[in-house]
């Protein structure tokens, strides 16, 4: 029976089921009770799709590479940051000899089972559809006898059918709730017009006379005006409202002043995960009205808090799970709305709507959108999960390794641990191991007795371990310590005792050690430059701080915070334009948060007026090593041309400057660039360096 739902495909960890496993066997050699399907299209869960796009800066090639990387590492399309997958469309290529399910070779089918539990192998990714969160692919999937599937209806559009399938369980539940509560005034907060239509159609199956209002975030409509959207969704949707979901209080007051029917709705369906949608839903629902959240990511917990804070009693419901009747009802909804959905497909085809998350983020720096742990500011779900992990680890008095690139904020993570640990009232001693001379390392760490060596203080000296007694000792760049010093450090961690240099009295300490390194210590162990036993002694818990390019949602809120900080310091008024935020968002940030703070500092100082423009931001970034493509993009947008020779000279000058700083002498600088010294000297003279 276990093979019916793919337990035999689990590689890591053994004993898990496919949906919870870290890695699946995605080989195309099927067993007797499996089915091999050639994949044509994947519909990725919206929260997963947003996270992938965001971490890749909405660059299509990077998005493709990211998806291929997930599938390659996990054997399935299961985003580790969001824990969600999606659904697929494909054709049956082969069935196992003992397979007793409904599929036959040649059948073209939709699979409703989450991609979190389906082995997938992707060879190639084609078009990326930002409107629906779908990708065209060439590859294979392995389905099981228990996998919920149904035949593709060739008369229906694939795009909106897959979008509806992604909402399958929620649609029937929404219909049942509308019937049970006799809802006649219903609001749908949808991520796009298609989502609004299918929910409107679903609830009207229960209440044909219901008035349905669709509320769509105005920052995600692209070039589409409200008249175009209204004409496309009629008659399934009765009213359309374009609203700033990131400002729910003002939006609600505007709707109330316009005497909109949705203010006081019997039922509000929240199918959008932009922060603020959940708050607007609470405002709009009538007392004892109903709010239905289609996923956990729609901020159900925040809505509960908001309802409590404003003293409003509402009933809140959350999507449960798949049941047998969902596909039949979903296809009934799609067929009954075919005319409208075809019209929407055509509309989006004419004017594709970009996934304008940057613009949306520029307007959503509110209390819900921006998380804060001490002075660690974040907006990305990736960072939110890391902070949650850090807060949990802080409670346990164990050694910790913090890993991450230079400038990611490892010391900020240390501060969170210190402030939330039982040692918060005790010292936190921070040491950069890279700055300690090897000959002095032992005396620095363990201290020394009076007169123990030439130049020693007559009073002796406490070492770092004694200074951090009962507190935390933070060892940054621990990988730079010599193997000899690592051995001595290991003994202290094992025994909690040591001798001062020149001392005969054993010193006992109670210290929690937190180590950090910008290169994973496991790599240093494999290279033979870090002791494996010390690694295991430190590696009770390991925190990976992701680079800024993998948590791009943090860029906006961090940049705004830095602008506010520097503007206050210099007593000036400064604000980033939406265009400036977009430029910051698209940059790759090799120097991470530290580089972002430096760039913002320069922008605050160099800005001509109160608003920092996109052009100014691009110019400042172009001064950074290897960033000239930003000024090129600005020139192309403004003048529709660039000066090739000017750009090449600018790049050459930057390379010469870099080599001089790196090498120190003309000979070494020339070697760095692989140039003859005489050639390098001429170029150095050319640029007056």
């Amino acid at each position: 029976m276990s093979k019916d739902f793919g337990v035999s495909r689990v590689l890591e960890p053994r004993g898990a089921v496919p949906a919870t496993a870290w890695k699946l066997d995605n080989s195309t050699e099927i067993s007797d009770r499996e089915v091999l399907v050639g994949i044509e299209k994947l519909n990725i869960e919206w929260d997963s799709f947003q996270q992938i796009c965001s971490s890749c800066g909405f660059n299509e090639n990077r998005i493709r590479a990211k998806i291929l990387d997930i599938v390659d590492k996990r054997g399935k399309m299961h985003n580790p940051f969001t824990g969600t997958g999606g659904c697929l469309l494909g054709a049956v290529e082969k069935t196992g000899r003992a397979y007793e399910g409904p599929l036959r070779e040649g059948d073209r089918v939709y699979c409703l089972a989450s991609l979190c539990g389906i082995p997938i192998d992707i060879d190639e990714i084609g078009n990326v559809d930002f409107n629906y969160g779908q990708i065209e692919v060439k590859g294979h999937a392995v389905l099981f006898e228990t996998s919920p599937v149904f035949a593709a209806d060739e008369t229906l559009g694939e795009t909106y059918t897959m979008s509806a399938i992604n909402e399958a369980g929620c649609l029937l539940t929404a219909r049942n709730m509308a019937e049970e509560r006799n809802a006649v005034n219903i609001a749908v907060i949808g991520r796009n017009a298609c989502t609004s239509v299918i929910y409107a159609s679903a609830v009207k199956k229960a209440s044909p006379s219901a008035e349905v209002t669709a509320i769509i975030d105005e920052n995600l409509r692209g070039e589409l005006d409200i008249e175009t959207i209204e004409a496309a969704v009629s008659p399934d949707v009765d009213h359309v409202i374009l609203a700033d979901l990131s400002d729910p209080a003002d939006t609600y007051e505007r709707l109330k002043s316009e005497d909109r029917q949705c203010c006081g709705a019997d039922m509000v369906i929240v199918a959008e995960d932009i922060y603020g949608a959940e708050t607007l839903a609470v405002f709009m629902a009538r007392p004892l009205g109903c709010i239905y959240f289609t996923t956990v990511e729609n901020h159900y917990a925040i809505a509960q808090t908001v309802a409590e804070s404003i003293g409003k009693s509402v009933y809140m419901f959350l999507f449960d799970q798949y049941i047998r009747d969902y596909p039949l009802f979903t296809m009934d909804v799609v067929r009954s709305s075919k005319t409208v959905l075809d019209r929407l497909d055509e509309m989006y085809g004419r004017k594709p709507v970009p996934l304008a998350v940057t613009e949306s983020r520029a307007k959503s720096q509110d209390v819900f959108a921006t998380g804060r742990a001490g002075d660690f500011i974040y907006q990305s779900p990736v960072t939110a999960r890391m902070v949650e992990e850090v807060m949990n680890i802080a409670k346990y008095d164990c050694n910790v390794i913090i890993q991450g690139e230079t400038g990611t904020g490892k010391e900020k993570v240390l501060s969170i641990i210190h402030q939330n640990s039982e040692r918060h009232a005790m010292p936190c001693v921070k040491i950069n191991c890279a700055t300690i001379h090897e000959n002095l390392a032992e005396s620095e760490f363990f201290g020394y007795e009076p007169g123990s060596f030439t130049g020693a203080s007559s009073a002796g000296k406490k070492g770092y371990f004694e200074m951090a007694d009962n507190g935390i000792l933070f060892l940054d760049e621990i990988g730079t310590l010599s193997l000899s010093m690592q051995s001595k450090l290991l003994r202290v961690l094992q025994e909690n005792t040591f001798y001062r240099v020149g001392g005969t009295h054993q010193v006992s300490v109670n210290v929690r050690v937190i180590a950090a390194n910008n290169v994973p210590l496991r790599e240093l162990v494999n290279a033979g430059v870090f002791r494996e036993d010390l690694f295991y002694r430190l590696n009770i818990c390991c925190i990976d701080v992701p680079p800024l390019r993998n948590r791009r949602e943090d860029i906006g809120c961090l940049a705004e915070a830095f602008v506010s900080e520097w503007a206050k310091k210099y007593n000036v008024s400064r604000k980033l334009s939406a265009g400036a935020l977009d430029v910051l968002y698209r940059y790759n940030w090799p120097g991470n948060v530290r580089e972002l703070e430096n760039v913002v500092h320069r922008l605050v100082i160099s800005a001509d007026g109160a608003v920092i423009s996109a052009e100014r931001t691009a110019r400042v970034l172009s001064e950074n090593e290897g960033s000239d493509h930003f000024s090129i993009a600005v020139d192309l947008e403004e003048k529709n041309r660039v000066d090739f020779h000017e750009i090449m000279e600018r790049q050459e000058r930057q390379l010469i400057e870099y080599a001089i700083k790196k090498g120190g002498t003309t000979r070494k600088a020339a070697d760095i660039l692989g140039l003859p010294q005489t050639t390098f000297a001429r170029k150095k003279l050319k640029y007056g360096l």
Side-chain angles (χ1 to χ4, degrees):
M1 179 62 185
S2 64
K3 291 185 180 179
D4 287 354
F5 54 92
V7 170
S8 61
R9 287 276 178 173
V10 173
L11 295 178
E12 299 175 18
R14 288 291 182 181
V17 295
T20 60
W22 172 254
K23 188 170 185 179
L24 299 182
D25 172 10
N26 62 355
S27 61
T28 55
E29 196 65 37
I30 62 171
S31 69
D32 288 348
R33 301 172 71 179
E34 295 177 337
V35 179
L36 184 66
V37 173
I39 312 173
E40 300 172 16
K41 186 177 284 190
L42 297 182
N43 188 105
I44 300 175
E45 287 278 2
W46 191 246
D47 59 322
S48 175
F49 184 70
Q50 282 187 312
Q51 190 278 322
I52 291 169
C53 290
S54 176
S55 67
C56 298
F58 296 89
N59 179 291
E60 287 197 34
N61 288 329
R62 290 181 190 167
I63 291 169
R64 293 184 183 99
K66 181 73 171 180
I67 293 170
L68 288 170
D69 182 60
I70 291 173
V71 172
D72 183 57
K73 287 179 178 176
R74 308 206 66 179
K76 56 179 179 172
M77 183 55 230
H78 187 175
N79 189 335
F81 293 118
T82 62
T84 53
C87 58
L88 67 86
L89 167 66
V92 177
E93 295 184 354
K94 186 179 180 182
T95 60
R97 290 177 297 179
Y99 174 74
E100 297 177 353
L103 300 180
R104 299 294 178 266
E105 290 183 18
D107 288 351
R108 196 158 176 266
V109 297
Y110 293 103
C111 177
L112 279 74
S114 172
L115 298 179
C116 293
I118 300 294
I120 286 177
D121 182 30
I122 297 179
D123 300 318
E124 182 182 328
I125 297 177
N127 181 54
V128 178
D129 188 332
F130 289 95
N131 296 314
Y132 292 95
Q134 296 176 6
I135 57 173
E136 294 176 354
V137 301
K138 290 182 180 178
H140 294 87
V142 177
L143 305 186
F144 316 113
E145 284 183 338
T146 54
S147 301
V149 296
F150 62 89
D153 185 338
E154 304 299 339
T155 68
L156 300 173
E158 297 168 1
T159 304
Y160 58 73
T161 300
M162 292 194 79
S163 186
I165 288 171
N166 204 46
E167 307 286 343
C170 305
L171 294 176
L172 182 55
T173 305
R175 182 257 177 220
N176 292 341
M177 289 175 60
E179 182 177 54
E180 290 168 8
R181 308 192 68 80
N182 297 314
V184 294
N185 178 7
I186 301 171
V188 180
I189 304 178
R191 69 178 64 98
N192 55 34
C194 179
T195 307
S196 302
V197 165
I198 59 177
Y199 276 105
S201 179
V203 295
K204 284 190 174 184
K205 296 285 185 186
S207 304
S209 61
E211 288 275 315
V212 179
T213 302
I215 301 171
I216 302 170
D217 183 53
E218 65 180 14
N219 299 314
L220 300 178
R221 63 185 173 91
E223 299 177 8
L224 299 171
D225 55 61
I226 191 167
E227 291 78 13
T228 302
I229 298 173
E230 283 180 332
V233 300
S234 178
D236 287 21
V237 174
D238 301 286
H239 312 285
V240 176
I241 295 172
L242 298 177
D244 185 354
L245 297 181
S246 66
D247 195 351
D250 281 356
T251 296
Y252 177 68
E253 288 302 319
R254 174 176 68 82
L255 297 179
K256 200 163 69 167
S257 69
E258 295 172 358
D259 200 24
R260 295 280 191 164
Q261 183 176 340
C262 56
C263 296
D266 301 319
M267 178 178 178
V268 183
I269 299 171
V270 183
E272 172 58 270
D273 62 358
I274 289 179
Y275 282 99
E278 74 296 318
T279 303
L280 183 59
V282 173
F283 287 155
M284 286 170 41
R286 65 171 174 80
L288 300 181
C290 164
I291 303 177
Y292 176 48
F293 294 86
T294 61
T295 70
V296 177
E297 285 74 25
N298 296 149
H299 316 301
Y300 174 85
I302 292 176
Q304 287 183 317
T305 305
V306 172
E308 244 179 48
S309 68
I310 65 175
K312 178 183 278 191
S313 296
V314 292
Y315 294 98
M316 297 187 190
F317 300 90
L318 192 60
F319 165 65
D320 189 9
Q321 63 179 13
Y322 170 86
I323 60 174
R324 182 173 234 171
D325 291 338
Y326 285 173
L328 296 175
F329 180 75
T330 299
M331 294 314 297
D332 184 35
V333 166
V334 174
R335 289 189 182 98
S336 64
S337 298
K338 180 181 184 304
T339 302
V340 174
L341 293 171
D342 281 335
R343 198 185 303 145
L344 284 175
D345 245 5
E346 184 184 353
M347 179 184 76
Y348 281 130
R350 288 197 315 270
K351 290 188 176 181
V353 181
L355 193 61
V357 170
T358 301
E359 291 290 338
S360 198
R361 291 293 180 259
K363 296 188 173 187
S364 66
Q365 307 302 326
D366 55 36
V367 67
F368 298 115
T370 303
R372 185 182 286 268
D375 56 356
F376 197 95
I377 301 167
Y378 58 92
Q379 195 172 41
S380 162
V382 174
T383 314
R385 286 177 176 81
M386 183 201 71
V387 170
E388 184 180 353
E389 179 189 9
V390 172
M391 297 288 277
N392 179 58
I393 289 172
K395 297 181 293 186
Y396 299 95
D397 199 40
C398 61
N399 297 333
V400 179
I401 294 175
I402 304 173
Q403 296 182 159
E405 296 178 8
T406 299
T408 51
K410 295 188 289 294
E411 278 202 42
K412 301 289 186 185
V413 171
L414 166 71
S415 296
I416 298 174
I417 294 175
H418 182 224
Q419 292 164 14
N420 293 277
S421 73
E422 62 182 25
R423 299 174 184 257
H424 65 274
M426 304 306 291
C428 180
V429 178
K430 303 175 185 179
I431 306 301
N432 188 333
C433 299
T435 63
I436 302 174
H437 194 283
E438 186 176 348
N439 295 336
L440 300 175
E442 187 174 357
S443 62
E444 291 292 330
F445 276 100
F446 308 127
Y448 58 83
E449 296 294 344
S452 56
F453 54 86
T454 303
S457 168
S458 59
K461 180 185 175 183
K462 286 184 177 182
Y464 299 141
F465 273 94
E466 283 184 88
M467 293 165 60
D469 192 23
N470 294 315
I472 290 175
L473 178 60
F474 177 59
L475 303 179
D476 196 12
E477 299 302 332
I478 191 173
T480 61
L481 291 177
S482 67
L483 288 170
S484 171
M485 191 61 221
Q486 290 175 32
S487 177
K488 294 170 183 175
L489 185 60
L490 173 64
R491 181 171 295 277
V492 179
L493 295 180
Q494 288 174 330
E495 301 175 2
N496 295 318
T497 59
F498 61 88
Y499 292 93
R500 286 185 176 185
V501 174
T504 57
H505 173 69
Q506 196 173 62
V507 180
S508 297
V509 290
N510 175 14
V511 174
R512 181 180 186 181
V513 173
I514 296 177
N517 213 57
N518 59 6
V519 177
L521 290 178
R522 167 52 74 185
E523 292 183 15
L524 299 184
V525 170
N526 294 339
V529 295
F530 197 84
R531 291 182 63 111
E532 188 170 23
D533 46 5
L534 177 57
F535 171 72
Y536 286 126
R537 178 63 64 174
L538 293 169
N539 191 34
I540 307 302
C541 292
C542 183
I543 298 165
D544 287 298
V545 186
L548 192 56
R549 61 184 172 275
N550 287 349
R551 47 186 173 107
R552 290 181 185 272
E553 297 95 331
D554 292 343
I555 293 170
C557 59
L558 284 168
E560 295 279 8
F562 292 144
V563 166
S564 176
E565 176 186 334
W566 292 115
K568 184 177 180 181
K569 179 175 181 178
Y570 295 122
N571 195 28
V572 294
S573 176
R574 294 287 186 271
K575 181 181 179 181
L576 289 162
S577 68
L581 280 167
D582 184 60
V583 172
L584 294 174
Y585 187 87
R586 288 186 283 118
Y587 182 56
N588 206 41
W589 299 110
N592 293 294
V593 180
R594 189 174 294 134
E595 183 185 8
L596 174 61
E597 182 175 15
N598 175 268
V599 167
V600 169
H601 191 175
R602 288 157 62 192
L603 286 170
V604 169
I605 292 172
S606 64
D608 297 327
V611 179
I612 300 171
S613 68
E615 180 183 4
R616 170 70 65 180
T617 306
R619 294 296 180 195
V620 169
L621 282 172
S622 72
E623 295 168 8
N624 284 14
E625 180 188 347
S627 318
D628 213 49
H629 58 282
F630 278 99
S631 61
I632 295 171
V634 170
D635 284 343
L636 282 171
E637 288 175 9
E638 292 179 353
K639 309 171 187 173
N640 203 30
R641 66 179 297 276
V642 294
D643 188 320
F644 175 82
H645 298 290
E646 180 187 341
I647 291 168
M648 295 307 294
E649 284 192 353
R650 204 155 59 214
Q651 291 280 17
E652 187 175 64
R653 179 190 173 97
Q654 288 175 359
L655 283 170
I656 299 297
E657 282 183 312
Y658 170 77
I660 292 170
K661 290 176 184 176
K662 187 78 173 175
T665 67
T666 302
R667 183 178 297 280
K668 289 180 179 178
D671 287 342
I672 289 171
L673 297 181
L675 292 174
Q677 187 180 3
T678 52
T679 303
F680 184 88
R682 283 198 302 272
K683 291 183 179 295
K684 180 172 175 281
L685 185 64
K686 172 184 176 181
Y687 296 113
L689 299 173

